[in-house]
Structure formats: structure tokens, C-alpha cells
Amino acid sequence: MKTLVCTTPGTLAYSAAAMPALTRGHAIIKIRRIGICGTDLHAFEGTQPYFEYPRILGHELAGELVDFDDAPGFQKGEAVTFIPYFNCGVCIACRSGKPNCCTKMQVCGVHVDGGMAEYLTVPSSALVHGGSLSYDALALVEPFAIGAHAVRRAGIQPDEQVLVVGAGPIGLGIMELARIAGATVMAMDINEARLAFCKEKLAVPYIIHATAHDVREQLSEMTNGDMPAVVMDATGSQQAIQSSFQYMAHGARYVLVGLQKGEVCFSHPEFHKREATLMSSRNATREDFNKVISSMENGLIDPEAYITHRVSFDQVQHDFNSWLKPETGVIKAMVELE
């Protein structure tokens, strides 16, 4: 079968690999769609933590289930996606119901080879039924599940004012799930096109350009002087993460969804006087996947609105570098395999 390997930062190469063989407790998926995510782009750039080369990228996947062992309830030929965070099942996180932050986590396309291939084998326990969703929608379930998990971590309540910093695909998913939770959403980014997408496609009521000189004043006005009750970072930018501490209301929760390599520094007195809560949100769980699939099936999320670029598997090597450029206008690039 054909694969696409990130051999070193900045280099992708097509390669031939043996077809996966069915093994105990695993399933084989014929890949039909691959969504390109920030993890893939950062790995290509050489800025992704927890990463080693060479690696086959890709974990936003949908395909046809062609064979499996020990997957009760599944049928050959059905459309599926899967939870791409392979956990050990026995560590303290797994025993505590948090397999998304397993101490021995193996993320598909990061720690182990991913889905930029014609076929992929995954643990049968990771399979997720596609229901009535298209392959396009199924390939977008995982990034929305990241948002669903972050919103659940934050404990967002109806009518709370939520600031989402970063309007990339993960940030957009957070906005959607926060809206579904009943929050009033504010979007912040440095990219005018992304902010326009938030306003025009997602109907986000409050838009803020991150480089404005009066960001705090704008937030204060939007919240009647309270400031946001929840701040969610989806940038993975050290500068953005540290700047956002100043945007919290007293009693606020700050959730770090984006990931960067350095340290996070903030004023202890300013944080302490707010009795603020700082937390991270990593990956997602089956509960989050089910929440997203249900939301898509009920028309609360329109996944097609996010797909701005489509390419065949044979075009990915040629087009990939362009998706790093803001002027390309990519929200979500979708790779199609037939």
C-alpha cells in the first residue's frame, strides 16, 4: 500500500509499505478521509512536542471497516472513525477514568504511525460507529471532540461568558461546543480571515483582534465590567497563553488546550486574588466523541462549513507546505482516498 511519511521537518515522501495484517484485538480500516490538523502542521514544521522522525502523520480519520477481531456490534463495510489516543488501560490515569492522559499514551500519528496511508490497523476498542455521518463529517469528529472535552473540563454553564483565544480548527470547535452548552462566546485571534469566519459562519457575537491596544477594555465592555468567566487557549503560543491571564474574571477558569514547548509564567498575586483555576485539557474520551456525533446528527454542528480545501492523497506532498501560510485561507484541508 501507499503511505506518506514525514521523514524530517519540512520533508514528506511517498513510500510503499506492507498491507497491515489482522492481529488479535485489532481492526483494519480502509482510509477514506484524512483531515489535516495543527499537530500535522507542527510536526512538519518541527515544532511539535513528543515527536520523533520519521513518522506517518494523520489522526483525523474516517474509513471503511474491512476486518476486525473482538469488535462486537461492528460490521464489515460500515463507516467508522476511531479514538486515536491508544492508552494502556492499567496506569493511574486509566484506572481513574482518564484514558485521554494515560501515562503511556500512544497518539496515532505522533507516537506511532498514523493514517496517511491506504490502510491502517487500530485497536478494536478504539473503534467508533459512524452512524448516519458522511466520511467528511466522521473525519472531523476528533477535532471537535477535543473542543467537547475542553468545554466539559471547564464546566461551562448556560449564559457564562467564554473567551476562546485562537480561531484555528480546535478553537472553532471549542466555540461551537461552548455555544451548544449555552455560553456567550467571544473569539480572539490575530488572523482577520479567521475572525471573519467566526462572525459570518459561526455567528459568534463578539470578535476581538488580539493585537488591538484596548483588548482588556473591549472585554470589559462586552462583559459589563465582569471580564470572561472562562478563558480557553487554543493557540499553543507562549505569548498568547501568558497574555490571557489578564483577561480572567475573578473566580474564572483558564483552560489550556493549545500546547507549546516552554514554561508558563504569570503573576501569582493577580492569579491568587481572583481565586482562579488553571487547568489543561488533553485529547478527548469516548463520551466526547459521542457528544460530537450526536451534535452533528442533530444539526447543531455543520462540519461541511469547515472544509475549505480538498485534495487527493496523491496531491498532499505538493500542497502541504502551502497550508502553513495564512494567506492560503485554510480552515480545514480534507484529503480524499477512494
Side-chain angles (χ1 to χ4, degrees):
M1 67 174 180
K2 191 174 188 178
T3 66
L4 182 60
V5 184
C6 187
T7 55
T8 60
T11 304
L12 293 170
Y14 288 105
S15 180
M19 287 283 291
L22 183 64
T23 57
R24 184 177 180 181
H26 283 71
I28 298 175
I29 300 171
K30 179 177 174 60
I31 302 299
R32 297 290 194 179
R33 296 291 186 276
I34 307 166
I36 304 300
C37 77
T39 298
D40 302 322
L41 297 172
H42 296 154
F44 182 77
E45 287 181 310
T47 58
Q48 177 65 29
Y50 317 133
F51 201 84
E52 295 181 357
Y53 302 86
R55 179 69 68 221
I56 299 175
L57 306 177
H59 65 263
E60 296 181 3
L61 303 165
E64 176 187 346
L65 184 59
V66 296
D67 206 355
F68 59 83
D69 172 69
D70 193 20
F74 285 87
Q75 301 292 327
K76 291 182 181 180
E78 73 170 285
V80 296
T81 185
F82 66 96
I83 302 171
Y85 331 116
F86 306 147
N87 61 295
C88 72
V90 297
C91 73
I92 185 171
C94 292
R95 297 196 311 272
S96 302
K98 295 179 69 67
N100 56 297
C101 59
C102 170
T103 63
K104 299 177 182 178
M105 178 67 68
Q106 298 284 289
V107 177
C108 183
V110 178
H111 306 97
V112 295
D113 284 338
M116 287 195 185
E118 293 177 301
Y119 292 85
L120 181 68
T121 182
V122 303
S124 296
S125 59
L127 291 172
V128 177
H129 290 287
S132 63
L133 298 183
S134 67
Y135 285 131
D136 283 345
L138 275 176
L140 292 178
V141 168
E142 190 272 341
F144 278 105
I146 298 288
H149 188 72
V151 167
R152 189 157 60 88
R153 283 280 287 156
I156 291 174
Q157 301 299 310
D159 299 322
E160 282 197 305
Q161 295 167 314
V162 177
L163 171 64
V164 181
V165 185
I170 298 300
L172 296 172
I174 295 170
M175 293 176 206
E176 290 271 63
L177 272 298
R179 171 186 57 78
I180 291 170
T184 298
V185 178
M186 294 163 276
M188 182 185 295
D189 203 286
I190 60 174
N191 186 312
E192 293 282 5
R194 291 282 176 90
L195 291 173
F197 184 90
C198 293
K199 184 175 183 179
E200 296 164 9
K201 299 292 187 180
L202 304 187
V204 174
Y206 298 106
I207 304 297
I208 307 165
H209 198 288
T211 61
H213 70 280
D214 60 346
V215 170
R216 280 182 51 84
E217 289 77 8
Q218 289 186 55
L219 286 169
S220 179
E221 183 177 348
M222 292 171 182
T223 59
N224 294 318
D226 289 338
M227 301 300 282
V230 180
V231 178
M232 316 276 281
D233 177 80
T235 67
S237 160
Q238 186 178 52
Q239 180 179 348
I241 289 169
Q242 295 182 176
S243 294
S244 293
F245 280 92
Q246 65 183 304
Y247 305 143
M248 293 187 295
H250 281 240
R253 290 97 73 199
Y254 186 11
V255 185
L256 303 182
V257 188
L259 179 64
Q260 52 88 28
K261 288 185 174 182
E263 297 179 348
V264 175
C265 301
F266 55 90
S267 166
H268 189 179
E270 288 296 319
F271 186 79
H272 194 92
K273 76 179 185 182
R274 287 169 168 78
E275 197 179 55
T277 300
L278 175 63
M279 65 183 80
S280 60
S281 180
R282 186 182 184 195
N283 299 327
T285 66
R286 186 170 293 275
E287 178 181 347
D288 304 310
F289 275 69
N290 291 340
K291 172 71 173 179
V292 171
I293 290 172
S294 174
S295 296
M296 288 182 175
E297 289 183 327
N298 290 321
L300 299 175
I301 298 172
D302 176 15
E304 298 289 340
Y306 291 81
I307 302 172
T308 53
H309 294 64
R310 289 183 182 275
V311 299
S312 69
F313 189 46
D314 291 338
Q315 289 178 274
V316 177
Q317 183 187 39
H318 179 268
D319 290 8
F320 198 94
N321 188 59
S322 69
W323 299 331
L324 295 165
K325 303 173 183 177
E327 60 269 24
T328 308
V330 174
I331 299 294
K332 179 60 65 176
M334 185 65 69
V335 180
E336 300 180 341
L337 295 85
E338 297 301 335

